[in-house]
Amino acid sequence: MCSLAWDYGLNVDLNKQNPLNVVSLDWSTEGYQLLMIQLHEGEKQVIQLDFVKSVLSVNPSMSCHSFLLLQGDDKLYLNRGDALQKMYAHYATLEKSKNFYGGGEKMEEDYGYYNFGSDNKKTITSINTLSESKHWIVITLPTQYAASNWPIRYSAIDSSGNNIAVAGRTGMALYSLLTRKWKLFGNETQEKDFVVSGAILWWNSFVILGSYSLVDHSDEIRMYPRDSKLDNRFASILKINSPVMLMNIHKNQLIMFTSDGYVTIFAIAQHSMDSLNLIKLKVYDIKNLCVHPACVVSVSLANLKNDVVKFPPSSDTLLLNVSGKIFMLQYENIGVDNQQLTSTCLASSVECLWVSNSSKIHLKDSLWLFCGNHGMRVWLPVFPRPGENGQRHTFMSKRIMLTFTLKIYPLVILFEEAIILGAENDTILYTSDLGLHFSLPFCTLERSTQVYLHQILRQLIRRNLGYNAWEIARTCTNLPYFPHALELLLHEVLEEEATSKEPIPDALLPSVLEFIQEFPVYLQTVVQCARKTEIALWPYLFSMAGKPKDLFQQCITQNQLEIAASYLIILQVGLR
């Protein structure tokens, strides 16, 4: 049974007859095409649907970047998530010249951003354009490389977003977004002498990849400098004992998982402009945690500390995703010179994992786990208030696991901007005439976004961690959609509690309103939430937020006339 179906218009009843009668289907090599056999008027026809996939599906180490990279069989789709960052310097200048929380009330529904006055049209236009750009940079594989190495198997982008490495059936190729040019091996024989396996990574200006040499029949780690020719003369090659399954980068360390069940940590040292040295630091034996090497989905290092066992203060934690279960591995000091490897299972049903590299202290080194239908889980450090007894905090941070739902499938998390990026497919049907080639839908690829700040704040407030929520929110006040995040926080809690059919013993709305009062946008947030909510819910909102007439008087006193005008609509309804 095939569940593929589209809207063929009002003239076709899909319950009685589905024009797309598929009798057999199968995936092609690398899963880029879905081949289907359609039965139409007694004849069998072959239908091919092309797919793209996230780079995370084959190279999980790319989760540390803020770029949305998708790969097809012969092309790459890149969306620059860092475009959100380009507007903050200009917006900070605007904040100094005008009160950040003053101005108009209008919120752009399509983008979710506030309009802070008619005299800032240029700024708001740039915010809308940069923040919600749907533009994809399409990078097509060069014919010289694709002719013998199709399809794409691995791809990676560097931290600057200007350089991309691609590996196909054999060899690899480099692409520069600055020059819009590809760099291929000058010697085609060298290109066909090795196969990339496990992963391909960027470290500064070097490409690091796991490979198998077809000449020496050995497994290797190869390192090529970006600024030199693609030639084995400039490559640093390290022979290893087993095939590379996964690799990752943490600061100046290389994490390598091989098929023999060992995770090896190397220190990366640049020997010269064109060469790197790998110095072995640690070896983890994880054969007892995985039934088969293919069960290990991702491997990474992070600066996490567990409350259960005592770890060395400067040690890093090895994170493994084994069949959806996240394990924390770290050596525990036993005695003077002895160490024991300990493991802790953090979560299950995990599909993707991110370690926050945010500059915000309360989000730094937090662990983000996407668990499919179970939503997103965030293992967040919780810091004590200043002046409280912080004896336990001298050697470790207490953490809390927060859970919230998502409307999109996360591919990139922008920790500085509090936004999750994803990709979705939209179909356009030009005709329902099955005799035409256009009867199949035309698919368009779009980027999707979701703000998660209000979800974090709500979970912390619910757990009586309002101080930690305030600390996180305080670091996000420079975001242009920060008032919108507060409005989402208030709206979701209001809708849930006001429409509840059962008594709520511990209502969250008073705590949320008290929290929003800590910021100068309280009057604006309440009225914006009310105007986008059913009138039947207004009495419950204003019974805790304050009387509309009193809030209106506060707007007049503070000379916020545009916000006061919004309260007039509520006063006209009869609420006083």
Side-chain angles (χ1 to χ4, degrees):
M1 178 180 178
C2 179
S3 61
L4 288 175
W6 291 274
D7 185 5
Y8 287 90
L10 300 177
N11 298 327
V12 179
D13 188 358
L14 296 179
N15 295 325
K16 297 181 179 179
Q17 179 183 4
N18 190 346
L20 189 64
N21 186 13
V22 176
V23 295
S24 180
L25 72 165
D26 196 7
W27 291 100
S28 65
T29 305
E30 303 294 337
Y32 288 117
Q33 290 87 22
L34 180 63
L35 304 175
M36 301 180 292
I37 303 297
Q38 178 190 16
L39 187 61
H40 177 60
E41 296 180 355
E43 298 182 358
K44 293 184 177 180
Q45 301 175 349
V46 178
I47 300 176
Q48 175 179 306
L49 287 182
D50 293 325
F51 286 82
V52 294
K53 54 186 175 182
S54 170
V55 66
L56 296 179
S57 62
V58 292
N59 200 2
S61 61
M62 291 295 102
S63 63
C64 61
H65 294 315
S66 60
F67 310 106
L68 184 55
L69 182 63
L70 306 177
Q71 64 183 51
D73 59 342
D74 62 349
K75 58 177 66 69
L76 300 173
Y77 295 83
L78 175 64
N79 188 280
R80 300 290 294 260
D82 63 336
L84 287 161
Q85 303 169 1
K86 297 179 181 179
M87 63 183 176
Y88 292 138
H90 180 70
Y91 201 86
T93 304
L94 172 65
E95 182 180 356
K96 294 179 181 179
S97 60
K98 182 178 179 178
N99 185 1
F100 178 81
Y101 299 104
E105 59 168 51
K106 182 181 178 182
M107 184 180 70
E108 301 293 339
E109 296 291 349
D110 294 339
Y111 302 102
Y113 301 130
Y114 280 83
N115 184 345
F116 293 96
S118 59
D119 57 335
N120 302 318
K121 291 182 179 179
K122 183 176 180 181
T123 302
I124 299 304
T125 302
S126 65
I127 290 174
N128 292 342
T129 302
L130 292 175
S131 302
E132 289 297 325
S133 173
K134 301 292 184 180
H135 175 66
W136 291 93
I137 301 175
V138 182
I139 304 170
T140 305
L141 206 62
T143 306
Q144 302 95 309
Y145 185 77
S148 57
N149 297 298
W150 176 93
I152 297 175
R153 297 181 64 241
Y154 295 97
S155 62
I157 188 169
D158 67 351
S159 58
S160 66
N162 294 324
N163 299 281
I164 295 177
V166 173
R169 188 173 301 173
T170 61
M172 72 164 183
L174 304 181
Y175 181 79
S176 172
L177 275 82
L178 298 178
T179 62
R180 305 288 181 177
K181 292 183 179 180
W182 284 93
K183 181 185 291 187
L184 306 177
F185 275 89
N187 188 339
E188 190 174 348
T189 303
Q190 294 183 2
E191 180 182 87
K192 297 183 180 300
D193 283 348
F194 69 94
V195 178
V196 175
S197 63
I200 183 169
L201 310 170
W202 284 93
W203 182 80
N204 294 343
S205 60
F206 289 84
V207 181
I208 303 177
L209 50 94
S211 65
Y212 176 78
S213 175
L214 299 176
V215 176
D216 300 332
H217 301 286
S218 62
D219 297 290
E220 306 168 334
I221 297 179
R222 296 189 174 217
M223 294 154 282
Y224 290 89
R226 178 195 63 197
D227 299 326
S228 301
K229 294 182 179 179
L230 271 183
D231 194 289
N232 289 343
R233 293 179 301 166
F234 305 103
S236 303
I237 302 177
L238 175 65
K239 301 290 185 180
I240 56 178
N241 298 325
S242 301
V244 177
M245 302 295 291
L246 291 169
M247 288 199 308
N248 207 335
I249 293 285
H250 176 65
K251 298 178 181 178
N252 294 327
Q253 295 180 343
L254 174 67
I255 308 102
M256 179 187 66
F257 171 63
T258 50
S259 61
D260 56 358
Y262 289 96
V263 176
T264 308
I265 310 298
F266 296 94
I268 306 175
Q270 186 168 348
H271 183 262
S272 64
M273 294 295 293
D274 297 331
S275 64
L276 293 179
N277 287 339
L278 296 181
I279 305 170
K280 185 182 295 186
L281 298 178
K282 289 182 180 180
V283 177
Y284 296 84
D285 185 358
I286 64 168
K287 290 191 289 290
N288 294 331
L289 295 179
C290 59
V291 179
H292 190 274
C295 296
V296 181
V297 180
S298 66
V299 55
S300 58
L301 274 181
N303 187 14
L304 304 177
K305 298 177 179 63
N306 192 1
D307 290 342
V308 180
V309 293
K310 296 182 179 180
F311 295 137
S314 60
S315 60
D316 290 324
T317 303
L318 180 66
L319 297 174
L320 294 176
N321 185 348
V322 183
S323 300
K325 293 184 178 180
I326 300 299
F327 289 96
M328 278 198 332
L329 280 79
Q330 199 162 23
Y331 281 104
E332 177 188 0
N333 290 332
I334 300 178
V336 181
D337 298 325
N338 297 327
Q339 287 186 333
Q340 179 181 353
L341 185 64
T342 60
S343 63
T344 305
C345 184
L346 285 181
S348 59
S349 304
V350 178
E351 299 182 15
C352 302
L353 178 149
W354 295 266
V355 179
S356 171
N357 55 0
S358 174
S359 61
K360 301 176 175 62
I361 185 64
H362 287 77
L363 293 177
K364 187 181 175 76
D365 295 329
S366 58
L367 191 62
W368 296 65
L369 312 170
F370 178 64
C371 304
N373 291 334
H374 301 286
M376 180 72 77
R377 297 177 181 175
V378 184
W379 203 40
L380 197 68
V382 178
F383 298 94
R385 289 171 175 261
E388 291 183 353
N389 183 12
Q391 185 64 30
R392 63 170 179 83
H393 187 58
T394 58
F395 62 91
M396 67 175 61
S397 298
K398 184 179 179 181
R399 289 176 174 265
I400 186 172
M401 186 72 79
L402 307 179
T403 304
F404 58 89
T405 58
L406 291 178
K407 298 180 181 178
I408 65 174
Y409 193 97
L411 299 178
V412 175
I413 300 180
L414 304 179
F415 297 103
E416 298 296 332
E417 295 78 20
I419 283 182
I420 295 177
L421 302 182
E424 60 185 11
N425 179 62
D426 191 15
T427 57
I428 302 174
L429 191 66
Y430 288 104
T431 178
S432 59
D433 188 355
L434 299 180
L436 299 177
H437 295 289
F438 295 103
S439 60
L440 287 177
F442 177 76
C443 299
T444 58
L445 188 64
E446 295 184 356
R447 191 196 73 183
S448 54
T449 60
Q450 181 174 341
V451 179
Y452 66 79
L453 177 61
H454 64 288
Q455 301 272 20
I456 297 293
L457 300 180
R458 179 179 179 179
Q459 294 296 327
L460 290 174
I461 296 173
R462 182 182 296 276
R463 290 164 173 77
N464 294 322
L465 295 173
Y467 172 76
N468 297 92
W470 179 81
E471 285 287 351
I472 294 176
R474 185 175 59 87
T475 61
C476 298
T477 54
N478 65 316
L479 298 177
Y481 41 85
F482 176 72
H484 177 56
L486 294 182
E487 182 185 327
L488 289 175
L489 171 64
L490 178 60
H491 178 77
E492 291 185 359
V493 174
L494 174 64
E495 289 279 346
E496 179 179 323
E497 295 186 358
T499 58
S500 177
K501 296 181 180 179
E502 299 179 358
I504 302 176
D506 188 14
L508 188 63
L509 186 60
S511 301
V512 170
L513 289 169
E514 184 179 354
F515 174 80
I516 299 176
Q517 285 180 349
E518 296 294 326
F519 303 94
V521 291
Y522 175 73
L523 298 174
Q524 179 180 349
T525 302
V526 171
V527 72
Q528 288 285 0
C529 178
R531 293 186 61 181
K532 296 177 178 63
T533 308
E534 296 180 6
I535 298 179
L537 306 183
W538 286 3
Y540 183 75
L541 171 63
F542 289 105
S543 65
M544 301 182 185
K547 297 181 179 180
K549 185 176 181 180
D550 296 338
L551 299 177
F552 172 77
Q553 292 293 341
Q554 293 182 31
C555 293
I556 298 297
T557 305
Q558 299 176 14
N559 199 26
Q560 299 182 11
L561 301 182
E562 295 186 12
I563 301 178
S566 300
Y567 277 100
L568 290 177
I569 301 177
I570 299 174
L571 293 174
Q572 290 175 353
V573 175
L575 290 179
R576 299 294 179 181

